[in-house]
Amino acid sequence: MDSMKRYFVFALSILLVLCLTGCWGNKEIEDLSVNVGLALDVGEESELEQELAKEGDSYPKKNLITATLQTVPVLASKNEQQSSTSKSSAMYLNTEETGDSVFQLYRQYSLRRYRPIIGHHLKVIVISSELSRKMDLEKLLKFILRDNDIRPSCLVLISKGKASEALVSSQTGDIPSFHLRSMVENQFRNNKILAPMILTKLDGIMNSGSSFVLQNLVSAKGEVEFAGAGVIKGETNKWIGTLNEHEVEGLTWIKGEIEGGLIKTYDKSGEVLAYEIKSAKTKIKTKVHGNDISFHVSIESDGRLIENWDTSQVPTDDKFLKEAEGYFEEELKEMLHKTIHKMQDVYHVDVAGFGNKLRIQHPKVWKTVKKDWDETFSQSDITYDVKLTITDYGSSSK
Amino acid sequence: MWQTIVSYIPDWIVFVQALVLLIVPIIIYFTSKWLQSALGSLTSEGTTTENKSEENTPEDGKAEAEDNAPFTGEYVTDLASIKNRIAKNCDVHFREFTMANGKKAAIIYVEGLYDKELIEVQVMKSLMFDDVEETEKPSDETKITKTYLMNKMLPISEIREALNLQQVVSDILVGSTAMLIDGIVEVLLLGSATGKTRSIEEPLSEGLLRGPRIGFTEILSDNTAILRRHGKNESLELIKFQVGTRAKKDLVVAYMNDIVNSELLEEVKRRIESINMDYLPESGYVEQLIEDNSLSPFQQAQNTERPDRVINSLLEGRVAILLDGSPFALIVPVTFSMLLQSPEDYYERWIPGTLLRMLRFLATFFALFAPALYISFISYHPGLIPTKLVMSIIEARQGVPFPSLIEALIMETSIEILREAGVRLPKPIGPAMGIVGGLIIGDAAVNAGLVSPFLVIVVAVTAISSFAIPSYSAGITLRLLRFLAMFCAAVLGAYGTVLFFLLLFSHLVKLKSFGVPYISPISPYRLDDWKDFIFRLPFKVMKRRPLLMKTKDSDRKK
């Protein structure tokens, strides 16, 4: 019996030891604020920060970057919640911090808000073109790419104006970060939207040293719009210019990223003609003759004649359809021409993935030219042929 | 060279950690071994037989000798000795009468147990009113022998004779009627107990929509009869044992003699014979006295009220144990998948059967891990929840003053209390209680800010899932383990939950029920048995009995 008792005490003490370890690493979800968006601007202290600095908030730093951290949710007190339907309280909270290290800016957040920030749900990073013109993108995103919490599926965008303005919304109930993240999904409606550039993809491209484009944003009066694309040169990882919407359209055709969208043009009498893309296929063929590298882009697409303002023309008429196809093909060729011109002659970069085609089709040649590919690309010859087919004209023939 | 080697030798902390890692499992192993043996010694034979021999005082020996002495044949002395033994019981009655031929006789019975009609109409009437034809009457009236009585005068099928007091007394007390006749040495025992019994009803704990609506009752002979009635089958064997040292009870072991593995059968018999307990009120006692591992939270025998389930198991090569007085038959050996299977899986077509089975596995997972996952997501891994849900959870949990573990414990405990209370409530109040408990407490707790609405959903899903498990006992096990899972989740998050899962499975892999691994088709891996595991394939595919049972006859089809 005595030994039983001793064993019992022994077993009990083991149990107690287990209890002693306690909890570590846990943080209840309601005590956290979720970081959903990040905007990076050229360093410029906001009024609030200046005042805070006057009151004594200072530490050694260079004011290179202003980071705007968007966090959700904003917690309203209970009474407010009940009466707040009329009041337009924002659903998000933007906190601006100016300094140099992005990581430090993130940690500075804890000095101002009591609920610590978590990065798992970061959806969007917006970088102002001004900042990316000055600074290497890789430097800016080093922390973001390294951090364990931040998901590789986070979207990266460029903003023509101030990036922080892209994270402001005038609509109540709208969270700009979600808004931007979801807008990228509209690719199937409009071919002016580039395939989303997410962090992992960006990491790979930056490492390979090739040039690329990022979807560009413009914002005004709390509204944000996707407009064109920012071109980043691979050698420096810096912004060098923009492609306008029209050129982005051409770019998506070349890249074969069309999921939907339209071609609009005018017929000879200046009336509107619109073509709804049902399917599109792009093939790029690479030809190498000694030192000359040339590409041939062939585009095939099926679609629908969806709008023609010239009412005298009847779409049941095959001749008219052929004519319309001609207009569209011409418009598309024009578009391609402008895009290629911009790439080869203005920016001297390959952002349409020609280099990748060469790498696949002629790996040996690629090895010799990849060092200075952007320049080589600018000298290369690009031809294209376009074949659009109007398969139908919708449910009305009038 | 030496320097480089030294640089790879880890810090002393690593060695301490390694030592701890070594010692902790050893400690756990020895603790469980010691506990096992401590529990085992309570039921082992060695100690109790010793006790028995000590208790056997000379007085007892004397009484025993008296009991075993044969009757004298003297009516008065024999009656007196029986009276001496049991007359002080208020329900034992002695009815003395004179037979038609003038001899004295007595009937001894227990009120409420004896077969009143049989005794009155067939025995007393034929003895008191001598209507046997004159020609067949024995010439000498004084020579009414036992054989004459049995052959000519008592039109009863069930007659036994007893020679000594012990036998008579024990039979009278279980319901036989004893008859003592002057001049006959043997005491005749007529009929058997016909106490009030319950009629055969649909099993309460294992209802089915499709399937036989017949359940076992408390009467062993009824239960064995139900088993016999499953079809013409000579191979069904029912062996009787007597268990209980003080109050003896019948226990029947049922099996198919040309299917069952003989080693298994021997093991079952051996364990039943080694049962050492003064009284076994329910088959749950048997279950616990013959199980392999008393420390395991998992049951090692399946209890069922359904005869169809028993027969199906017997045909798979398992053994059933039926105890008198209990409507629950035990099926051994049991595997984990059996606990999640319902006879309906076989009665419905195989596609819905498979679907239901998978649903039940899913429900088991929820019942075990839903609150644990909730806790680990809320406290440790906000990144694993979809962003919009994170936002609404944060908003909903603003007023909640407790960490998620306490919150979950509050709700889970109250649900368990509610359920426990529901079992005891009279039937008309039950549903009302469910509404009060489920809806009002849940809603009020949310409104009062004690818990978040998400937890209420989690708890409700958990509770419903645990009701989807066909075996009530398995449900209790999972309820118990759920709390452990919650604590693990609260300490280490999803990592802790995974560790708990591994711990649970390492236990399950080691556990055996009568020599059969508990999670059998998974480990040891037998692909053939997977036909009837998570899936229930068509009968055309299931041509063989489970391989894990190592049956004598493995083919189900000729």
Side-chain angles (χ1 to χ4, degrees):
Chain A
M1 202 58 226
D2 218 30
S3 73
M4 277 273 276
K5 217 173 187 174
R6 220 169 41 226
Y7 273 123
F8 180 72
V9 170
F10 177 66
L12 200 71
S13 58
I14 286 180
L15 279 177
L16 282 176
V17 166
L18 282 179
C19 297
L20 280 177
T21 54
C23 310
W24 57 89
N26 88 327
K27 193 79 196 162
E28 297 294 322
I29 196 167
E30 68 268 22
D31 301 330
L32 301 170
S33 51
V34 180
N35 181 205
V36 291
L38 168 68
L40 296 173
D41 277 304
V42 177
E44 189 187 339
E45 286 191 326
S46 65
E47 266 175 53
L48 176 72
E49 276 182 289
Q50 283 168 8
E51 266 178 53
L52 286 173
K54 232 183 269 168
E55 297 294 324
D57 162 33
S58 66
Y59 59 97
K61 61 176 181 180
K62 294 175 201 156
N63 285 345
L64 293 176
I65 306 169
T66 297
T68 308
L69 306 177
Q70 182 160 79
T71 51
V72 290
V74 176
L75 297 165
S77 67
K78 269 217 167 138
N79 309 334
E80 210 178 310
Q81 258 177 7
Q82 278 154 6
S83 63
S84 73
T85 38
S86 56
K87 256 193 264 173
S88 59
S89 57
M91 297 269 287
Y92 56 90
L93 184 69
N94 284 356
T95 309
E96 290 193 2
E97 287 287 347
T98 304
D100 35 24
S101 148
V102 179
F103 179 58
Q104 192 174 38
L105 296 180
Y106 259 90
R107 289 301 155 98
Q108 283 296 112
Y109 179 89
S110 301
L111 300 178
R112 298 205 10 216
R113 311 262 183 248
Y114 73 96
R115 293 188 302 142
I117 198 163
I118 55 162
H120 302 100
H121 294 285
L122 187 59
K123 297 281 175 216
V124 178
I125 298 170
V126 186
I127 302 166
S128 79
S129 51
E130 188 67 18
L131 180 67
S132 56
R133 195 169 56 84
K134 285 182 182 167
M135 277 182 77
D136 191 339
L137 262 189
E138 210 168 348
K139 283 184 197 167
L140 285 173
L141 295 177
K142 198 96 229 173
F143 158 69
I144 303 288
L145 289 170
R146 278 205 186 151
D147 190 64
N148 283 329
D149 285 356
I150 293 169
R151 297 284 158 83
S153 60
C154 177
L155 188 70
V156 183
L157 302 169
I158 286 276
S159 167
K160 191 81 177 291
K162 273 197 86 177
S164 59
E165 276 164 26
L167 291 188
V168 178
S169 171
S170 58
Q171 292 162 354
T172 46
D174 187 31
I175 294 168
S177 303
F178 293 173
H179 182 115
L180 291 176
R181 186 74 185 87
S182 317
M183 217 150 70
V184 182
E185 313 288 323
N186 293 352
Q187 245 187 316
F188 74 107
R189 280 285 182 240
N190 200 319
N191 50 339
K192 290 174 187 169
I193 301 175
L194 291 164
M197 180 64 82
I198 57 173
L199 275 180
T200 27
K201 245 162 114 185
L202 189 67
D203 198 17
I205 288 175
M206 286 199 299
N207 280 332
S208 74
S210 51
S211 307
F212 56 97
V213 281
L214 293 173
Q215 186 77 50
N216 189 50
L217 288 174
V218 289
S219 48
K221 289 181 184 169
E223 292 273 343
V224 184
E225 197 191 357
F226 280 170
V231 181
I232 310 286
K233 187 149 177 80
E235 282 164 30
T236 53
N237 279 330
K238 283 182 184 168
W239 182 87
I240 52 169
T242 49
L243 299 178
N244 64 25
E245 286 186 38
H246 206 55
E247 288 149 2
V248 167
E249 248 181 297
L251 193 64
T252 52
W253 278 104
I254 296 172
K255 283 179 144 185
E257 283 171 358
I258 303 272
E259 282 178 28
L262 65 129
I263 300 174
K264 189 205 71 180
T265 186
Y266 306 96
D267 62 12
K268 55 182 183 282
S269 50
E271 298 285 6
V272 167
L273 274 177
Y275 169 85
E276 182 184 359
I277 304 163
K278 286 205 296 192
S279 72
K281 214 170 171 185
T282 306
K283 265 188 198 161
I284 297 177
K285 235 181 148 188
T286 323
K287 276 179 228 151
V288 181
H289 287 294
N291 276 344
D292 285 346
I293 296 167
S294 64
F295 297 95
H296 182 72
V297 183
S298 49
I299 293 173
E300 270 179 52
S301 167
D302 283 350
R304 177 181 292 145
L305 179 68
I306 199 76
E307 215 176 353
N308 61 314
W309 284 12
D310 187 356
T311 42
S312 64
Q313 300 279 15
V314 188
T316 44
D317 183 6
D318 271 358
K319 226 177 89 194
F320 169 64
L321 288 185
K322 279 274 166 284
E323 206 185 316
E325 276 173 13
Y327 288 126
F328 291 130
E329 281 172 5
E330 215 166 280
E331 167 70 15
L332 182 53
K333 277 180 187 165
E334 176 69 22
M335 213 189 281
L336 296 176
H337 175 73
K338 277 184 185 163
T339 311
I340 291 168
H341 168 74
K342 200 81 172 259
M343 285 198 287
Q344 287 192 313
D345 304 335
V346 180
Y347 295 132
H348 299 280
V349 287
D350 165 30
V351 292
F354 285 106
N356 201 32
K357 291 287 175 203
L358 184 68
R359 183 181 64 80
I360 292 166
Q361 291 171 12
H362 298 281
K364 279 179 190 160
V365 179
W366 169 249
K367 265 183 194 164
T368 60
V369 297
K370 77 171 173 189
K371 195 82 193 286
D372 200 18
W373 171 242
D374 277 341
E375 277 313 308
T376 318
F377 166 75
S378 306
Q379 309 305 322
S380 62
D381 203 20
I382 299 174
T383 53
Y384 36 85
D385 74 77
V386 167
K387 177 151 180 38
L388 301 182
T389 316
I390 296 176
T391 54
D392 66 302
Y393 35 82
S395 48
S396 163
S397 63
K398 269 285 165 197
Chain B
M1 168 72 183
W2 180 243
Q3 280 297 317
T4 39
I5 293 176
V6 167
S7 71
Y8 281 107
I9 295 176
D11 213 6
W12 64 272
I13 293 176
V14 176
F15 285 106
V16 172
Q17 284 170 345
L19 202 68
V20 169
L21 278 182
L22 180 72
I23 288 173
V24 168
I26 292 176
I27 289 175
I28 292 175
Y29 173 73
F30 278 107
T31 320
S32 74
K33 209 174 162 190
W34 163 76
L35 269 173
Q36 197 80 263
S37 66
L39 286 174
S41 70
L42 293 176
T43 51
S44 84
E45 265 179 288
T47 48
T48 33
T49 38
E50 270 171 41
N51 291 345
K52 213 185 211 171
S53 59
E54 278 167 26
E55 278 169 20
N56 274 347
T57 53
E59 251 180 321
D60 287 343
K62 206 172 140 195
E64 223 163 82
E66 219 169 77
D67 283 348
N68 290 329
F71 287 113
T72 54
E74 287 277 324
Y75 172 75
V76 183
T77 47
D78 285 349
L79 188 63
S81 68
I82 294 175
K83 270 189 175 168
N84 188 30
R85 253 325 260 285
I86 52 174
K88 50 185 175 291
N89 292 315
C90 63
D91 58 343
V92 177
H93 294 271
F94 294 80
R95 166 78 164 87
E96 292 179 55
F97 61 97
T98 316
M99 282 166 67
N101 57 17
K103 283 203 168 182
K104 276 194 156 182
I107 279 173
I108 309 152
Y109 60 90
V110 176
E111 198 179 339
L113 280 181
Y114 80 113
D115 195 339
K116 194 172 178 187
E117 201 180 303
L118 179 91
I119 300 301
E120 282 174 358
V121 176
Q122 309 292 354
V123 179
M124 293 180 68
K125 198 175 164 196
S126 54
L127 290 179
M128 289 161 88
F129 309 102
D130 195 355
D131 53 358
V132 182
E133 283 173 41
E134 286 296 313
T135 47
E136 288 192 18
K137 254 187 163 180
S139 49
D140 192 346
E141 286 202 350
T142 53
K143 275 186 79 180
I144 292 183
T145 58
K146 179 191 79 186
T147 29
Y148 178 74
L149 261 178
M150 281 165 69
N151 288 344
K152 295 282 178 185
M153 296 186 72
L154 295 173
I156 308 172
S157 63
E158 202 175 343
I159 295 187
R160 280 157 297 138
E161 42 196 271
L163 282 169
N164 61 46
L165 188 60
Q166 173 65 33
Q167 218 177 335
V168 170
V169 165
S170 64
D171 275 22
I172 289 172
L173 291 179
V174 294
S176 293
T177 307
M179 188 165 76
L180 200 66
I181 298 171
D182 191 17
I184 296 178
V185 178
E186 296 92 345
V187 173
L188 297 180
L189 297 165
L190 315 169
S192 57
T194 56
K196 288 278 178 285
T197 59
R198 189 163 67 92
S199 60
I200 291 172
E201 285 164 13
E202 194 179 353
L204 203 65
S205 62
E206 289 165 279
L208 283 189
L209 282 178
R210 182 168 182 182
R213 306 219 184 280
I214 184 170
F216 286 129
T217 68
E218 282 79 5
I219 309 302
L220 185 62
S221 55
D222 286 356
N223 294 349
T224 52
I226 292 170
L227 287 188
R228 278 280 174 224
R229 237 181 286 154
H230 76 279
K232 264 186 203 165
N233 183 357
E234 283 165 31
S235 59
L236 172 63
E237 276 183 11
L238 305 163
I239 306 183
K240 191 172 271 186
F241 288 87
Q242 284 219 321
V243 290
T245 48
R246 185 163 292 277
K248 290 196 179 359
K249 258 193 173 182
D250 285 342
L251 180 147
V252 165
V253 172
Y255 57 91
M256 300 287 173
N257 64 357
D258 51 0
I259 296 174
V260 73
N261 182 298
S262 45
E263 273 177 56
L264 169 68
L265 184 62
E266 284 314 308
E267 180 63 17
V268 173
K269 284 182 184 167
R270 190 189 66 74
R271 292 198 192 177
I272 287 173
E273 273 158 8
S274 70
I275 287 177
N276 196 335
M277 192 81 188
D278 61 345
Y279 178 55
L280 299 139
E282 221 280 336
S283 58
Y285 272 61
V286 181
E287 178 185 342
Q288 291 168 61
L289 290 170
I290 63 174
E291 70 188 357
D292 296 58
N293 186 350
S294 347
L295 283 178
S296 171
F298 291 92
Q299 65 193 100
Q300 287 138 58
Q302 186 176 27
N303 55 68
T304 179
E305 285 186 87
R306 300 196 67 88
D308 52 333
R309 194 173 220 162
V310 171
I311 289 294
N312 282 336
S313 304
L314 295 187
L315 282 167
E316 282 179 356
R318 298 179 206 271
V319 176
I321 300 166
L322 294 91
L323 183 72
D324 192 22
S326 165
F328 287 94
L330 301 177
I331 299 170
V332 291
V334 65
T335 54
F336 185 69
S337 61
M338 274 172 75
L339 305 176
L340 300 184
Q341 292 169 2
S342 159
E344 220 164 6
D345 300 349
Y346 301 97
Y347 302 154
E348 286 294 345
R349 296 184 60 255
W350 73 277
I351 298 172
T354 303
L355 175 79
L356 290 178
R357 214 172 250 193
M358 286 157 119
L359 211 59
R360 254 179 252 130
F361 273 89
L362 187 71
T364 311
F365 178 80
F366 280 142
L368 196 52
F369 288 114
L373 288 178
Y374 172 80
I375 292 172
S376 45
F377 282 161
I378 294 295
S379 301
Y380 289 87
H381 315 291
L384 293 180
I385 315 172
T387 310
K388 296 206 170 144
L389 188 61
V390 165
M391 286 171 60
S392 48
I393 289 180
I394 290 179
E395 276 162 10
R397 276 184 58 86
Q398 272 316 300
V400 178
F402 303 115
S404 53
L405 173 68
I406 306 291
E407 187 197 11
L409 277 181
I410 291 174
M411 271 322 261
E412 283 293 339
T413 316
S414 53
I415 280 277
E416 291 301 327
I417 293 172
L418 201 72
R419 189 172 352 192
E420 192 58 21
V423 172
R424 295 182 216 301
L425 279 175
K427 261 186 194 150
I429 309 179
M433 182 71 184
I435 292 167
V436 170
L439 296 180
I440 299 182
I441 294 184
D443 192 47
V446 170
N447 282 335
L450 268 182
V451 299
S452 71
F454 287 93
L455 180 73
V456 176
I457 298 173
V458 170
V459 169
V461 168
T462 311
I464 293 169
S465 300
S466 68
F467 284 125
I469 298 164
S471 164
Y472 175 71
S473 317
I476 305 179
T477 305
L478 293 181
R479 277 152 69 182
L480 165 82
L481 292 173
R482 181 197 307 154
F483 282 92
L484 285 181
M486 278 158 64
F487 282 113
C488 286
V491 176
L492 286 173
Y495 175 63
T497 315
V498 170
L499 284 188
F500 173 74
F501 187 80
L502 293 179
L503 194 72
L504 191 68
F505 262 78
S506 59
H507 167 67
L508 279 175
V509 166
K510 203 165 162 273
L511 190 62
K512 280 183 176 177
S513 164
F514 286 82
V516 173
Y518 203 62
I519 47 168
S520 218
I522 308 178
S523 160
Y525 184 73
R526 290 194 184 92
L527 192 61
D528 263 8
D529 287 350
W530 278 66
K531 288 174 189 168
D532 188 16
F533 177 44
I534 298 172
F535 316 103
R536 204 280 282 168
L537 294 191
F539 290 125
K540 279 184 183 161
V541 181
M542 292 199 291
K543 287 176 183 159
R544 296 171 146 262
R545 297 179 210 289
L547 286 177
L548 59 102
M549 295 307 304
K550 298 203 169 87
T551 49
K552 283 180 195 160
D553 172 23
S554 62
D555 291 320
R556 291 204 83 141
K557 285 187 176 176
K558 281 273 147 63

